[in-house]
């Protein structure tokens, strides 16, 4: 049975990836391990983050979550997607249409995973640790889930 990705954590990963790009001019993670309780993302980077940078990153992600942005999906042609997105992780047999997941106007990314319908569903994002080794910045994070309504 294939492991099902947690929609809250997976959506938080999308926001984290965009925040890394906006704050540090960094590409999306090249490796991620997303689970319900804790997750990690690995980035090609040149150094460790300072405590101030970790706090700024956390603040950026939580700001998007608190903005209660809608999460939507649409399909575009693979040719259109090639012009706008890095499709290197797309399988060769992906077909002629690509699903794009958008988090408000903050992030747009090809993805087949499950996501929340609005960022307020994610909860509070917290970086538990970050470390740098041999060109790889690893960020570990958790979510404090919102109370059920």
């Amino acid at each position: 049975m294939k492991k099902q990705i947690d929609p809250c954590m997976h959506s938080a990963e999308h926001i984290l990836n965009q925040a890394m790009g906006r704050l540090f001019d960094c590409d999306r993670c090249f490796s991620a391990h997303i689970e319900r309780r804790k997750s990690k993302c690995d980035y090609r980077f040149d150094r460790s983050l300072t405590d101030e940078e970790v706090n700024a990153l956390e603040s950026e992600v939580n700001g998007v979550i608190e903005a209660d942005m809608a999460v939507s999906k649409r399909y575009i042609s693979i040719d259109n997607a090639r012009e706008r997105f890095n499709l290197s992780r797309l399988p060769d047999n992906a077909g002629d249409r690509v699903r794009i997941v958008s988090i408000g106007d903050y992030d747009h990314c090809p993805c087949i995973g499950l996501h929340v319908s609005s960022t307020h569903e994610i909860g509070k994002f917290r970086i538990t640790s970050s470390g740098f080794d041999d060109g790889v910045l690893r960020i570990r994070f958790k979510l404090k889930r919102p109370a059920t309504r």
Side-chain angles (χ1 to χ4, degrees), residues 84-124:
R84 300 176 55 204
F85 301 101
N86 177 350
L87 300 182
S88 62
R89 295 176 73 179
L90 203 64
D92 292 335
N93 63 347
D96 61 348
R97 310 232 350 119
V98 176
R99 187 175 85 157
I100 305 301
V101 173
S102 295
I103 298 178
D105 61 356
Y106 188 78
D107 183 58
H108 310 281
C109 176
C111 187
I112 63 169
L114 297 174
H115 300 83
V116 297
S117 58
S118 177
T119 59
H120 83 275
E121 298 172 37
I122 295 172
K124 181 117 173 126

Side-chain angles (χ1 to χ4, degrees), residues 2-44:
K2 186 174 179 171
K3 179 177 83 167
Q4 189 167 346
I5 301 281
D6 178 66
C8 292
M9 276 291 202
H10 189 67
S11 299
E13 175 203 355
H14 279 249
I15 298 168
L16 174 61
N17 279 322
Q18 185 61 238
M20 284 294 294
R22 288 179 183 220
L23 295 177
F24 305 108
D25 196 28
C26 180
D27 290 336
R28 297 182 91 83
C29 66
F30 69 88
S31 174
H33 187 79
I34 307 299
E35 293 190 0
R36 181 169 171 72
R37 292 185 59 226
K38 60 183 178 179
S39 296
K40 72 169 182 70
C41 290
D42 292 338
Y43 298 90
R44 302 268 183 237

Side-chain angles (χ1 to χ4, degrees), residues 10-11 22 27 45 67 74 82 103 125 140 145 147-148:
H10 189 67
S11 299
R22 288 179 183 220
D27 290 336
F45 212 65
R74 71 183 190 288
R82 269 193 199 99
I103 298 178
F125 175 88
R140 293 176 187 86
R145 308 293 172 131
T148 55

